[in-house]
Amino acid sequence: VDTIIYGTIAMRQNASSVLKIMETVLYPNIFQYDKWNKSSKQELLGLYHRFMAYLTETANEDCRETKLYLPLRDDTFIDDDAGGQYDKNVIQNLEAVVIHWIKQIKEALSSPEHSISLDSRSNG
C-alpha cells in the first residue's frame, strides 16, 4: 500500500526555508524510494543536485557567505551493475557541481567585500 503525503507548509518562503525543505523532506521521500527505475532516478538526482547548488548559493547571499553545496548523500560512486566501476552518472553530477563551485569561488574572490589573508602569521 502506497501512502500519499499532502499538505500545506505555512511559513514565509525564502531560499533558506526552501533549502531546508528540500534537504529534509524532498530528498528522503523521493530518493530513498526504491521503486524508481535507475535512469529516472539518475536524471532526477542530477537535476536535484544542480538545483541545490544554486539554492545553497542563493540562501547564503544575504549574509554575504559563500557556501559550497556538497552533493554526497546516499549516492554511490560505484556502479554494482558495471562490475564495480565508477558510476558515470554520479561522476557527471559531481562535475556539474564542481563547475558551479568554480563560478562561486571566482565571484567570491573578485567581490570587493571579500578579503583574503594568505599569511596566518601576525605582524606583532
Side-chain angles (χ1 to χ4, degrees), residues 15-16 18-20 23 48-63 65-71 73 100-101 104:
S16 295
V18 173
L19 182 67
K20 188 167 199 84
E23 291 176 331
Y48 173 83
H49 290 311
R50 282 190 293 273
F51 177 71
M52 290 299 288
Y54 284 102
L55 188 58
T56 300
E57 178 180 9
T58 303
N60 292 289
E61 280 178 348
D62 291 339
C63 54
E65 291 182 346
T66 299
K67 291 189 180 179
L68 304 177
Y69 171 70
L70 186 59
R73 295 249 193 311
H100 187 80
W101 289 351
Q104 280 185 274

Side-chain angles (χ1 to χ4, degrees), residues 53-113:
Y54 284 102
L55 188 58
T56 300
E57 178 180 9
T58 303
N60 292 289
E61 280 178 348
D62 291 339
C63 54
R64 300 184 192 267
E65 291 182 346
T66 299
K67 291 189 180 179
L68 304 177
Y69 171 70
L70 186 59
L72 300 177
R73 295 249 193 311
D74 295 332
D75 309 340
T76 179
F77 287 105
I78 307 298
D79 186 356
D80 294 328
D81 297 336
Q85 297 294 318
Y86 288 106
D87 188 332
K88 292 177 189 175
N89 291 308
V90 174
I91 300 301
Q92 287 175 345
N93 290 340
L94 288 173
E95 287 173 346
V97 171
V98 169
I99 290 168
H100 187 80
W101 289 351
I102 291 168
K103 180 184 83 72
Q104 280 185 274
I105 291 168
K106 284 181 180 179
E107 286 176 4
L109 292 176
S110 66
S111 172
E113 295 93 24

